[in-house]
Amino acid sequence: MESSLRPEPEDPRSALAAADQARERLAAALRLPTGLFPALAVAVAVQVGAAAYGIADQSTSGLAIALGGAALFLATAAVLLTRFRNANGVRVDGLASTIILGTGTVSTSVYLATFAAATWAAFEAQWWLVALAAAAGGAAYSFSAHLWWRAYRDDPASRAGGASPRLLAALAVVACLGAVALVVGS
């Protein structure tokens, strides 16, 4: 006759509590690469200024400058993410999308406002104002990323899960189509 006695599984509440504690210990131990926030601020400022110039210039060289600004931003993002993963050995949900790509409400709002201001200033040939708007945008974007990181470290469970890769890919396609429409339309 088979025994119907099975070992009792561990109490699920204690297993969940242990998992929560492990997540909090990991979040507390994570370290950002040195210079992440200043590098992000500079990359965003250059990208905003270059894009504003390129849109206002509406020439091949203007397009090249705008694309160069985007390439610098993407290269900076790739380097920062690689350095984070090498230093910590993990991926953090939300780090790439919220901190680097700015999908959070505050960073998106800051980016759009300063990009609009820089573009308007570029059309008016107020280059000092383009530089000021771009620098303010980079600094505010970086500060928004800093706030998200602090909030993540305080409560990783509520901050976990950034934008999905599919959503980011869809947004990239829409952005590329918009750029193509600008180039073809000019």
Side-chain angles (χ1 to χ4, degrees):
M1 179 168 165
E2 283 185 43
S3 172
S4 63
L5 296 176
R6 293 185 191 165
E8 286 295 317
E10 188 176 316
D11 180 26
R13 287 176 291 198
S14 64
L16 287 173
D20 285 342
Q21 289 173 348
R23 180 183 55 227
E24 289 171 9
R25 278 193 312 272
L26 175 63
L30 293 174
R31 298 292 175 247
L32 292 176
T34 304
L36 180 135
F37 296 119
L40 187 60
V42 169
V44 169
V46 168
Q47 192 276 323
V48 166
Y53 175 82
I55 290 171
D57 188 53
Q58 296 184 1
S59 68
T60 304
S61 63
L63 178 61
I65 290 172
L67 291 175
L72 174 75
F73 174 79
L74 292 174
T76 302
V79 166
L80 292 173
L81 287 172
T82 300
R83 287 180 56 212
F84 177 84
R85 289 179 187 139
N86 289 342
N88 295 292
V90 296
R91 293 176 187 235
V92 172
D93 282 347
L95 180 75
S97 62
T98 307
I99 286 186
I100 304 296
L101 297 178
T103 60
T105 304
V106 175
S107 55
T108 300
S109 300
V110 162
Y111 180 85
L112 290 175
T114 57
F115 178 70
T119 303
W120 171 82
F123 274 111
E124 297 296 319
Q126 298 294 319
W127 303 112
W128 67 272
L129 194 52
V130 171
L132 181 65
Y141 189 100
S142 179
F143 184 67
S144 169
H146 175 71
L147 292 177
W148 183 90
W149 181 249
R150 278 193 4 204
Y152 174 81
R153 300 233 9 222
D154 289 342
D155 186 11
S158 69
R159 300 288 180 193
S164 76
R166 289 182 184 153
L167 174 63
L168 293 175
L171 291 173
V173 167
V174 169
C176 289
L177 291 174
V180 168
L182 283 174
V183 170
V184 171
S186 60

